Amino acid sequence: MKKIILLAGVLFAVSTTVTSCKKDYKCECSKTYTSGSGSSTNDYSVYTYKDTRKRAEDRCNDNTKSSSDVFGNYSINCQIK
């Protein structure tokens, strides 16, 4: 009887660990241009990651960058919402 209870407990722990970790997380990014006259921020892109919270945050943060183009200097900032 003890073995059955122990086995049931182990199976329950394994099933909840495997199924409850991965969820859909939305990563929203905005692009901010800066110039001598100020700055302007616009929505840039949205990504959805089916993963653990930590991994989704890491993947989302990988989209953050700064650079420049013909319109000026910009930065892209992304966050899990």
Side-chain angles (χ1 to χ4, degrees):
M1 184 68 168
K2 289 181 182 180
K3 289 181 181 180
I4 293 173
I5 293 172
L6 179 62
L7 181 61
V10 169
L11 289 175
F12 176 76
V14 168
S15 67
T16 57
T17 301
V18 172
T19 59
S20 66
C21 290
K22 292 188 177 183
K23 297 180 183 178
D24 285 339
Y25 293 98
K26 188 188 297 187
C27 173
E28 294 182 3
C29 301
S30 62
K31 190 172 193 177
T32 303
Y33 279 99
T34 55
S35 66
S37 61
S39 65
S40 65
T41 302
N42 301 315
D43 292 339
Y44 182 66
S45 59
V46 176
Y47 304 98
T48 302
Y49 299 116
K50 185 175 184 99
D51 221 325
T52 62
R53 172 104 182 158
K54 173 71 173 124
R55 184 135 162 74
E57 286 176 344
D58 290 344
R59 292 174 68 188
C60 185
N61 290 335
D62 287 344
N63 296 312
T64 300
K65 69 176 187 174
S66 296
S67 190
S68 62
D69 59 16
V70 295
F71 300 110
N73 296 327
Y74 67 86
S75 62
I76 298 173
N77 297 308
C78 302
Q79 291 183 326
I80 293 290
K81 301 278 179 155

Coordinates of all heavy atoms in Angstrom, one line a residue:
M1 N 0.8 -1.2 0.0 CA 0.0 0.0 0.0 C 0.9 1.3 0.0 O 0.5 2.2 -0.7 CB -0.9 0.0 1.2 CG -1.9 1.1 1.3 SD -3.1 0.9 -0.1 CE -4.2 2.1 0.4
K2 N 2.0 1.2 0.8 CA 2.8 2.4 0.8 C 3.5 2.7 -0.5 O 3.7 3.8 -0.9 CB 3.9 2.2 1.9 CG 3.4 2.3 3.3 CD 4.6 2.1 4.3 CE 4.1 2.1 5.7 NZ 5.1 1.9 6.7
K3 N 3.8 1.6 -1.3 CA 4.4 1.7 -2.6 C 3.5 2.4 -3.6 O 3.9 3.2 -4.4 CB 4.9 0.4 -3.1 CG 6.1 -0.2 -2.4 CD 6.5 -1.5 -3.0 CE 7.7 -2.0 -2.2 NZ 8.2 -3.3 -2.8
I4 N 2.2 2.0 -3.5 CA 1.2 2.6 -4.4 C 1.0 4.1 -4.1 O 1.0 4.9 -5.0 CB -0.1 1.9 -4.2 CG1 0.0 0.4 -4.8 CG2 -1.3 2.6 -5.0 CD1 -1.2 -0.4 -4.5
I5 N 1.0 4.5 -2.8 CA 0.8 5.9 -2.5 C 2.1 6.7 -2.9 O 2.0 7.8 -3.4 CB 0.6 6.0 -1.0 CG1 -0.8 5.5 -0.6 CG2 0.7 7.5 -0.5 CD1 -1.1 5.4 0.9
L6 N 3.3 6.1 -2.7 CA 4.5 6.7 -3.1 C 4.5 6.9 -4.6 O 4.9 8.0 -5.1 CB 5.7 5.9 -2.6 CG 7.1 6.5 -3.0 CD1 7.3 7.9 -2.4 CD2 8.2 5.6 -2.6
L7 N 4.2 5.9 -5.3 CA 4.2 5.9 -6.8 C 3.2 7.0 -7.3 O 3.5 7.7 -8.2 CB 3.8 4.6 -7.4 CG 3.8 4.5 -8.9 CD1 5.2 4.8 -9.5 CD2 3.4 3.1 -9.4
A8 N 2.0 7.0 -6.7 CA 1.0 8.0 -7.1 C 1.5 9.4 -6.8 O 1.3 10.3 -7.6 CB -0.3 7.8 -6.3
G9 N 2.2 9.6 -5.7 CA 2.7 10.9 -5.4 C 3.8 11.4 -6.4 O 3.9 12.5 -6.8
V10 N 4.7 10.4 -6.8 CA 5.7 10.7 -7.7 C 5.1 11.0 -9.1 O 5.5 12.0 -9.8 CB 6.7 9.5 -7.8 CG1 7.7 9.7 -9.0 CG2 7.5 9.4 -6.5
L11 N 4.1 10.3 -9.5 CA 3.5 10.5 -10.8 C 2.8 11.9 -10.8 O 2.8 12.6 -11.8 CB 2.5 9.4 -11.1 CG 3.1 8.1 -11.5 CD1 2.0 7.0 -11.7 CD2 4.0 8.2 -12.8
F12 N 2.2 12.2 -9.7 CA 1.5 13.5 -9.6 C 2.5 14.7 -9.7 O 2.3 15.6 -10.4 CB 0.7 13.6 -8.3 CG 0.1 15.0 -8.1 CD1 -1.0 15.3 -8.8 CD2 0.6 15.9 -7.2 CE1 -1.6 16.6 -8.6 CE2 0.1 17.1 -7.0 CZ -1.1 17.5 -7.7
A13 N 3.6 14.5 -9.0 CA 4.7 15.6 -9.0 C 5.3 15.7 -10.4 O 5.5 16.9 -10.9 CB 5.7 15.2 -8.0
V14 N 5.5 14.7 -11.1 CA 6.1 14.7 -12.4 C 5.1 15.3 -13.4 O 5.5 16.2 -14.2 CB 6.6 13.3 -12.9 CG1 6.9 13.3 -14.3 CG2 7.8 12.8 -12.0
S15 N 3.9 14.9 -13.3 CA 2.9 15.4 -14.3 C 2.6 16.9 -14.1 O 2.5 17.7 -15.1 CB 1.6 14.7 -14.2 OG 0.9 14.9 -13.0
T16 N 2.6 17.4 -12.9 CA 2.4 18.9 -12.7 C 3.6 19.7 -13.0 O 3.5 20.8 -13.5 CB 2.0 19.2 -11.2 OG1 3.0 18.7 -10.3 CG2 0.6 18.6 -10.9
T17 N 4.8 19.1 -12.8 CA 6.0 19.8 -13.2 C 6.1 20.0 -14.7 O 6.5 21.0 -15.2 CB 7.2 19.1 -12.6 OG1 7.1 19.0 -11.2 CG2 8.5 19.8 -13.0
V18 N 5.8 18.9 -15.4 CA 6.0 19.0 -16.9 C 4.9 19.8 -17.5 O 5.2 20.6 -18.4 CB 6.0 17.5 -17.4 CG1 5.9 17.5 -18.9 CG2 7.1 16.7 -16.9
T19 N 3.7 19.8 -17.1 CA 2.6 20.4 -17.8 C 2.4 21.9 -17.4 O 1.9 22.7 -18.1 CB 1.3 19.7 -17.6 OG1 1.0 19.6 -16.2 CG2 1.4 18.3 -18.2
S20 N 2.8 22.3 -16.2 CA 2.5 23.6 -15.7 C 3.6 24.6 -16.0 O 3.4 25.8 -15.7 CB 2.2 23.6 -14.2 OG 3.4 23.2 -13.5
C21 N 4.7 24.3 -16.5 CA 5.8 25.2 -16.6 C 5.7 26.1 -17.9 O 6.0 27.3 -17.8 CB 7.2 24.5 -16.7 SG 7.6 23.8 -15.1
K22 N 5.3 25.5 -19.0 CA 5.3 26.3 -20.2 C 3.9 26.9 -20.5 O 2.9 26.2 -20.4 CB 5.6 25.3 -21.4 CG 7.1 24.9 -21.3 CD 7.5 24.2 -22.6 CE 8.9 23.8 -22.5 NZ 9.4 23.1 -23.7
K23 N 4.0 28.2 -20.7 CA 2.8 29.0 -21.0 C 3.1 29.9 -22.1 O 4.2 30.1 -22.5 CB 2.3 29.8 -19.8 CG 2.0 28.9 -18.6 CD 1.6 29.8 -17.4 CE 1.3 28.9 -16.2 NZ 1.0 29.7 -15.0
D24 N 2.0 30.6 -22.7 CA 2.2 31.6 -23.7 C 2.5 32.9 -23.0 O 1.8 33.4 -22.1 CB 1.0 31.7 -24.6 CG 0.8 30.6 -25.5 OD1 1.8 29.9 -25.8 OD2 -0.3 30.4 -26.0
Y25 N 3.7 33.5 -23.4 CA 4.1 34.8 -22.9 C 4.2 35.8 -24.1 O 4.8 35.4 -25.1 CB 5.4 34.8 -22.1 CG 5.3 34.0 -20.8 CD1 5.7 32.7 -20.8 CD2 4.8 34.6 -19.7 CE1 5.6 31.9 -19.6 CE2 4.7 33.9 -18.5 CZ 5.1 32.6 -18.5 OH 5.0 31.9 -17.3
K26 N 3.6 37.0 -23.9 CA 3.6 38.0 -25.0 C 4.8 39.0 -24.7 O 4.9 39.5 -23.6 CB 2.3 38.7 -25.1 CG 2.2 39.6 -26.3 CD 1.0 40.5 -26.2 CE -0.3 39.8 -26.3 NZ -1.4 40.7 -26.4
C27 N 5.6 39.1 -25.7 CA 6.7 40.1 -25.6 C 6.4 41.2 -26.5 O 6.2 41.1 -27.7 CB 8.0 39.4 -26.1 SG 9.4 40.4 -26.3
E28 N 6.2 42.4 -25.9 CA 5.9 43.6 -26.7 C 7.1 44.5 -26.7 O 7.7 44.8 -25.7 CB 4.7 44.3 -26.0 CG 3.4 43.5 -26.0 CD 2.3 44.2 -25.4 OE1 2.4 45.4 -25.0 OE2 1.2 43.6 -25.4
C29 N 7.4 45.0 -28.0 CA 8.5 45.8 -28.2 C 8.1 47.2 -28.7 O 7.1 47.3 -29.4 CB 9.5 45.2 -29.2 SG 10.1 43.6 -28.8
S30 N 8.8 48.2 -28.3 CA 8.6 49.6 -28.8 C 9.9 50.1 -29.3 O 11.0 49.7 -28.8 CB 8.1 50.5 -27.7 OG 9.0 50.6 -26.6
K31 N 9.8 51.1 -30.3 CA 11.0 51.6 -30.9 C 11.0 53.1 -30.6 O 10.0 53.8 -30.9 CB 11.0 51.4 -32.4 CG 12.2 51.8 -33.1 CD 12.1 51.3 -34.6 CE 13.5 51.3 -35.3 NZ 13.4 50.8 -36.6
T32 N 12.1 53.6 -30.0 CA 12.2 55.0 -29.6 C 13.3 55.7 -30.4 O 14.5 55.3 -30.4 CB 12.5 55.2 -28.1 OG1 11.5 54.5 -27.4 CG2 12.6 56.6 -27.7
Y33 N 12.9 56.7 -31.2 CA 13.9 57.5 -32.0 C 14.3 58.7 -31.1 O 13.4 59.4 -30.5 CB 13.3 58.0 -33.3 CG 13.4 57.0 -34.4 CD1 12.3 56.2 -34.7 CD2 14.5 56.8 -35.1 CE1 12.3 55.3 -35.7 CE2 14.6 55.8 -36.1 CZ 13.5 55.1 -36.4 OH 13.6 54.1 -37.4
T34 N 15.5 59.0 -31.1 CA 16.0 60.2 -30.4 C 16.7 61.2 -31.4 O 17.4 60.7 -32.3 CB 17.0 59.9 -29.2 OG1 18.0 59.1 -29.8 CG2 16.3 59.1 -28.1
S35 N 16.4 62.4 -31.2 CA 17.1 63.4 -32.1 C 17.3 64.7 -31.3 O 16.9 64.7 -30.1 CB 16.2 63.7 -33.3 OG 15.0 64.4 -32.9
G36 N 17.8 65.7 -31.9 CA 18.1 67.0 -31.2 C 16.8 67.6 -30.7 O 16.9 68.4 -29.7
S37 N 15.7 67.4 -31.3 CA 14.5 68.0 -30.9 C 13.6 67.2 -29.9 O 12.6 67.6 -29.5 CB 13.6 68.3 -32.2 OG 13.3 67.1 -32.8
G38 N 14.1 66.0 -29.5 CA 13.4 65.2 -28.6 C 13.4 63.7 -29.0 O 14.3 63.3 -29.6
S39 N 12.3 63.0 -28.5 CA 12.2 61.6 -28.9 C 10.8 61.3 -29.2 O 9.9 62.0 -28.7 CB 12.8 60.8 -27.7 OG 12.0 60.9 -26.6
S40 N 10.6 60.2 -29.9 CA 9.3 59.7 -30.2 C 9.3 58.2 -30.1 O 10.2 57.5 -30.5 CB 8.8 60.1 -31.6 OG 9.6 59.5 -32.6
T41 N 8.2 57.6 -29.5 CA 8.2 56.2 -29.2 C 7.0 55.6 -30.0 O 5.9 56.2 -29.9 CB 8.0 55.9 -27.7 OG1 9.2 56.4 -27.1 CG2 8.0 54.4 -27.5
N42 N 7.1 54.5 -30.6 CA 6.1 53.8 -31.4 C 6.1 52.3 -31.0 O 7.2 51.8 -30.7 CB 6.3 54.0 -32.9 CG 6.3 55.4 -33.3 OD1 5.4 56.2 -32.9 ND2 7.2 55.8 -34.2
D43 N 4.9 51.7 -31.1 CA 4.9 50.2 -31.0 C 5.7 49.7 -32.2 O 5.6 50.2 -33.3 CB 3.4 49.7 -31.1 CG 2.6 50.1 -29.9 OD1 3.2 50.4 -28.8 OD2 1.4 50.1 -30.0
Y44 N 6.4 48.6 -31.9 CA 7.3 48.1 -32.9 C 6.9 46.7 -33.4 O 6.7 46.4 -34.5 CB 8.8 48.1 -32.4 CG 9.8 47.6 -33.4 CD1 10.0 48.3 -34.6 CD2 10.5 46.5 -33.2 CE1 10.9 47.9 -35.5 CE2 11.4 46.0 -34.1 CZ 11.7 46.7 -35.3 OH 12.6 46.3 -36.2
S45 N 6.9 45.7 -32.4 CA 6.5 44.4 -32.7 C 6.0 43.6 -31.5 O 6.3 44.0 -30.4 CB 7.7 43.6 -33.3 OG 8.8 43.6 -32.4
V46 N 5.4 42.5 -31.7 CA 4.9 41.6 -30.6 C 5.2 40.2 -31.0 O 5.0 39.7 -32.1 CB 3.3 41.7 -30.5 CG1 2.8 40.8 -29.4 CG2 2.9 43.2 -30.2
Y47 N 5.8 39.5 -30.0 CA 6.2 38.1 -30.2 C 5.5 37.3 -29.1 O 5.3 37.8 -28.0 CB 7.7 37.9 -30.0 CG 8.6 38.7 -30.9 CD1 9.1 39.9 -30.5 CD2 8.8 38.3 -32.2 CE1 9.9 40.7 -31.3 CE2 9.6 39.1 -33.1 CZ 10.1 40.3 -32.6 OH 10.9 41.1 -33.5
T48 N 5.2 36.1 -29.4 CA 4.6 35.2 -28.4 C 5.5 34.0 -28.3 O 5.9 33.3 -29.3 CB 3.2 34.7 -28.8 OG1 2.3 35.8 -29.0 CG2 2.6 33.8 -27.8
Y49 N 5.9 33.7 -27.0 CA 6.8 32.6 -26.7 C 6.0 31.6 -25.8 O 5.5 32.0 -24.8 CB 8.0 33.0 -26.0 CG 8.9 34.0 -26.8 CD1 9.1 35.3 -26.3 CD2 9.5 33.6 -28.0 CE1 9.8 36.2 -27.1 CE2 10.2 34.5 -28.7 CZ 10.4 35.8 -28.2 OH 11.2 36.7 -29.0
K50 N 6.0 30.3 -26.2 CA 5.5 29.3 -25.4 C 6.7 28.6 -24.7 O 7.4 27.8 -25.3 CB 4.7 28.2 -26.2 CG 4.0 27.2 -25.3 CD 3.2 26.3 -26.1 CE 2.5 25.3 -25.2 NZ 1.1 25.8 -24.9
D51 N 6.9 29.0 -23.4 CA 8.1 28.6 -22.7 C 7.9 28.9 -21.2 O 6.8 29.4 -20.8 CB 9.3 29.4 -23.2 CG 10.5 28.5 -23.4 OD1 10.7 27.6 -22.6 OD2 11.3 28.8 -24.3
T52 N 8.9 28.6 -20.5 CA 8.9 29.0 -19.1 C 9.0 30.5 -19.0 O 9.5 31.2 -19.9 CB 10.0 28.4 -18.3 OG1 11.3 28.8 -18.8 CG2 9.9 26.9 -18.3
R53 N 8.6 31.1 -17.9 CA 8.7 32.6 -17.7 C 10.1 33.1 -17.9 O 10.3 34.1 -18.6 CB 8.1 33.0 -16.3 CG 8.3 34.4 -16.0 CD 7.0 35.2 -16.1 NE 7.2 36.6 -15.9 CZ 6.5 37.5 -16.3 NH1 5.4 37.2 -17.0 NH2 6.7 38.8 -16.0
K54 N 11.0 32.5 -17.2 CA 12.4 32.9 -17.3 C 13.0 32.8 -18.7 O 13.6 33.8 -19.2 CB 13.3 32.0 -16.3 CG 14.8 32.2 -16.4 CD 15.1 33.6 -15.8 CE 16.6 33.7 -15.7 NZ 17.2 34.9 -16.4
R55 N 12.7 31.7 -19.4 CA 13.2 31.6 -20.7 C 12.6 32.6 -21.7 O 13.2 33.1 -22.6 CB 13.0 30.1 -21.2 CG 13.6 29.8 -22.5 CD 14.4 28.5 -22.5 NE 14.6 28.0 -23.9 CZ 15.4 28.5 -24.8 NH1 16.2 29.6 -24.4 NH2 15.5 28.0 -26.0
A56 N 11.3 32.8 -21.5 CA 10.5 33.8 -22.3 C 11.1 35.2 -22.1 O 11.3 35.9 -23.1 CB 9.0 33.7 -22.0
E57 N 11.4 35.5 -20.9 CA 12.0 36.8 -20.6 C 13.3 37.0 -21.2 O 13.7 38.0 -21.8 CB 12.1 37.0 -19.1 CG 10.8 37.3 -18.4 CD 10.9 37.4 -16.9 OE1 11.9 37.0 -16.3 OE2 9.9 38.0 -16.3
D58 N 14.1 35.9 -21.2 CA 15.5 36.0 -21.8 C 15.4 36.1 -23.3 O 16.1 36.9 -23.9 CB 16.3 34.7 -21.5 CG 16.7 34.6 -20.0 OD1 16.7 35.7 -19.3 OD2 17.1 33.5 -19.6
R59 N 14.4 35.4 -23.9 CA 14.3 35.5 -25.4 C 13.7 36.9 -25.8 O 14.1 37.4 -26.8 CB 13.3 34.4 -25.9 CG 13.9 33.0 -25.7 CD 12.9 31.9 -26.1 NE 12.6 32.0 -27.5 CZ 11.7 31.2 -28.0 NH1 10.9 30.4 -27.3 NH2 11.4 31.3 -29.3
C60 N 12.8 37.4 -24.9 CA 12.3 38.7 -25.2 C 13.4 39.8 -25.1 O 13.5 40.7 -26.0 CB 11.2 39.0 -24.2 SG 10.3 40.6 -24.5
N61 N 14.2 39.7 -24.1 CA 15.3 40.7 -23.9 C 16.3 40.6 -25.0 O 17.0 41.6 -25.2 CB 16.0 40.5 -22.5 CG 15.1 40.9 -21.4 OD1 14.2 41.7 -21.5 ND2 15.3 40.3 -20.2
D62 N 16.4 39.5 -25.6 CA 17.4 39.4 -26.8 C 17.0 40.3 -27.9 O 17.8 40.6 -28.8 CB 17.5 37.9 -27.3 CG 18.2 37.0 -26.3 OD1 18.9 37.5 -25.4 OD2 18.1 35.8 -26.4
N63 N 15.7 40.7 -28.0 CA 15.3 41.6 -29.0 C 15.6 43.1 -28.8 O 15.4 43.9 -29.6 CB 13.8 41.5 -29.2 CG 13.4 40.1 -29.7 OD1 14.0 39.6 -30.6 ND2 12.4 39.5 -29.0
T64 N 16.1 43.4 -27.6 CA 16.4 44.8 -27.2 C 17.7 45.1 -27.8 O 18.7 44.4 -27.7 CB 16.5 44.9 -25.7 OG1 15.2 44.5 -25.1 CG2 16.8 46.3 -25.2
K65 N 17.7 46.3 -28.5 CA 19.0 46.8 -29.1 C 18.9 48.3 -29.4 O 17.9 48.9 -29.3 CB 19.3 46.0 -30.4 CG 18.3 46.4 -31.5 CD 18.8 45.7 -32.8 CE 17.9 46.1 -34.0 NZ 18.4 45.6 -35.2
S66 N 20.1 48.8 -29.7 CA 20.2 50.2 -30.1 C 21.0 50.3 -31.4 O 22.0 49.5 -31.5 CB 20.9 51.0 -29.0 OG 20.2 51.1 -27.8
S67 N 20.6 51.2 -32.2 CA 21.3 51.4 -33.5 C 20.9 52.7 -34.1 O 20.3 53.6 -33.4 CB 21.0 50.2 -34.4 OG 21.9 50.2 -35.5
S68 N 21.2 52.9 -35.4 CA 20.8 54.1 -36.1 C 20.4 53.7 -37.6 O 20.9 52.7 -38.1 CB 21.8 55.1 -36.1 OG 23.0 54.7 -36.8
D69 N 19.6 54.5 -38.2 CA 19.2 54.3 -39.6 C 19.0 55.7 -40.2 O 19.4 56.7 -39.6 CB 18.0 53.4 -39.7 CG 16.7 54.0 -39.0 OD1 16.7 55.2 -38.7 OD2 15.8 53.2 -38.8
V70 N 18.4 55.8 -41.3 CA 18.3 57.1 -42.0 C 17.4 58.1 -41.2 O 17.5 59.3 -41.4 CB 17.7 56.9 -43.4 CG1 18.6 56.2 -44.3 CG2 16.3 56.3 -43.4
F71 N 16.6 57.7 -40.2 CA 15.8 58.5 -39.4 C 16.5 59.0 -38.2 O 15.9 59.8 -37.4 CB 14.4 57.8 -39.1 CG 13.7 57.5 -40.3 CD1 13.5 56.1 -40.7 CD2 13.1 58.4 -41.1 CE1 12.8 55.8 -41.8 CE2 12.4 58.1 -42.3 CZ 12.2 56.8 -42.6
G72 N 17.6 58.4 -37.8 CA 18.3 58.8 -36.6 C 18.7 57.6 -35.7 O 18.5 56.5 -36.1
N73 N 19.1 57.9 -34.5 CA 19.4 56.9 -33.5 C 18.1 56.4 -32.9 O 17.1 57.1 -32.7 CB 20.3 57.5 -32.4 CG 21.6 57.9 -32.9 OD1 22.2 57.4 -33.8 ND2 22.1 59.0 -32.3
Y74 N 18.1 55.1 -32.7 CA 16.9 54.5 -32.1 C 17.3 53.4 -31.1 O 18.4 52.9 -31.1 CB 16.0 53.9 -33.1 CG 16.5 52.7 -33.9 CD1 16.4 51.4 -33.4 CD2 17.2 52.9 -35.1 CE1 16.9 50.3 -34.1 CE2 17.7 51.8 -35.8 CZ 17.5 50.5 -35.3 OH 18.0 49.4 -36.0
S75 N 16.4 53.1 -30.2 CA 16.5 51.9 -29.3 C 15.2 51.1 -29.3 O 14.1 51.7 -29.4 CB 16.9 52.4 -27.9 OG 15.8 53.2 -27.4
I76 N 15.3 49.8 -29.3 CA 14.2 48.9 -29.3 C 14.2 48.3 -27.9 O 15.2 47.7 -27.5 CB 14.3 47.9 -30.4 CG1 14.2 48.5 -31.7 CG2 13.1 46.8 -30.2 CD1 14.5 47.6 -32.9
N77 N 13.1 48.5 -27.2 CA 12.9 48.0 -25.8 C 11.8 47.0 -25.8 O 10.7 47.3 -26.3 CB 12.7 49.1 -24.8 CG 13.8 50.1 -24.7 OD1 15.0 49.6 -24.5 ND2 13.6 51.3 -24.9
C78 N 12.0 45.8 -25.2 CA 11.0 44.8 -25.2 C 10.8 44.3 -23.8 O 11.7 44.2 -23.0 CB 11.5 43.6 -26.0 SG 11.8 44.0 -27.7
Q79 N 9.5 44.0 -23.5 CA 9.1 43.5 -22.1 C 8.0 42.4 -22.3 O 7.2 42.5 -23.2 CB 8.6 44.6 -21.3 CG 9.6 45.6 -20.8 CD 9.0 46.6 -19.9 OE1 7.8 47.0 -20.1 NE2 9.8 47.1 -19.0
I80 N 8.1 41.5 -21.3 CA 7.0 40.5 -21.2 C 5.8 41.2 -20.6 O 5.9 41.9 -19.6 CB 7.4 39.3 -20.4 CG1 8.5 38.5 -21.1 CG2 6.2 38.4 -20.0 CD1 8.1 37.7 -22.3
K81 N 4.6 41.1 -21.2 CA 3.4 41.6 -20.7 C 2.4 40.6 -20.3 O 2.4 39.5 -20.7 CB 2.7 42.5 -21.7 CG 3.6 43.6 -22.2 CD 3.5 44.8 -21.3 CE 4.4 45.9 -21.8 NZ 4.2 47.2 -21.4

